[in-house]
Amino acid sequence: MSYENVREEFIKDAEEYINAKRQPFEKLSGTELDLAKYQYLENFQDYINFLNFRIIARLDENLISFKSLEEATAFQDFLKPTFEVVARKYTEGLMD
């Protein structure tokens, strides 16, 4: 499987995580909603840990291994813009 396919699966993983964590927001309002959003934002590191775990799992599932540091660096460079996008998605619409 190609790097592009891994990237697409990774983006789906990130979106599913965000949607699941934000689902309770629909039932809340006022101070409860504000508190839930605050707690969600405070857990950003958990999201980053999830992303790191998922990218490793996706590489394993797709039998992608790196034979050299150069290959690993090339993949990291390929995926870096995607990491930036999914990191911003986590806070999208919640911060002024």
Side-chain angles (χ1 to χ4, degrees):
M1 185 168 277
S2 73
Y3 288 174
E4 185 63 34
N5 291 341
V6 170
R7 185 182 73 81
E8 289 173 16
E9 291 175 351
F10 175 70
I11 290 169
K12 284 185 206 174
D13 293 336
E15 290 172 346
E16 288 174 4
Y17 182 97
I18 290 168
N19 291 337
K21 294 294 183 178
R22 287 187 177 199
Q23 192 171 24
F25 294 174
E26 298 169 9
K27 302 172 190 166
L28 303 173
S29 63
T31 304
E32 289 177 334
L33 178 58
D34 291 341
L35 181 58
K37 287 180 181 180
Y38 173 79
Q39 290 170 338
Y40 169 87
L41 292 170
E42 282 288 305
N43 291 323
F44 183 72
Q45 187 59 48
D46 292 341
Y47 177 61
I48 297 302
N49 293 341
F50 170 81
L51 294 178
N52 287 328
F53 171 79
R54 287 310 303 154
I55 197 60
I56 292 167
R58 289 295 180 190
L59 289 170
D60 287 347
E61 290 166 8
N62 290 286
L63 305 174
I64 294 175
S65 61
F66 305 112
K67 313 270 186 288
S68 68
L69 180 58
E70 289 79 21
E71 284 183 22
T73 300
F75 179 74
Q76 186 177 18
D77 291 344
F78 168 78
L79 203 60
K80 185 177 181 178
T82 303
F83 255 97
E84 291 169 356
V85 167
V86 297
R88 278 192 306 271
K89 279 188 177 196
Y90 187 82
T91 61
E92 199 170 75
L94 297 179
M95 298 175 58
D96 297 329

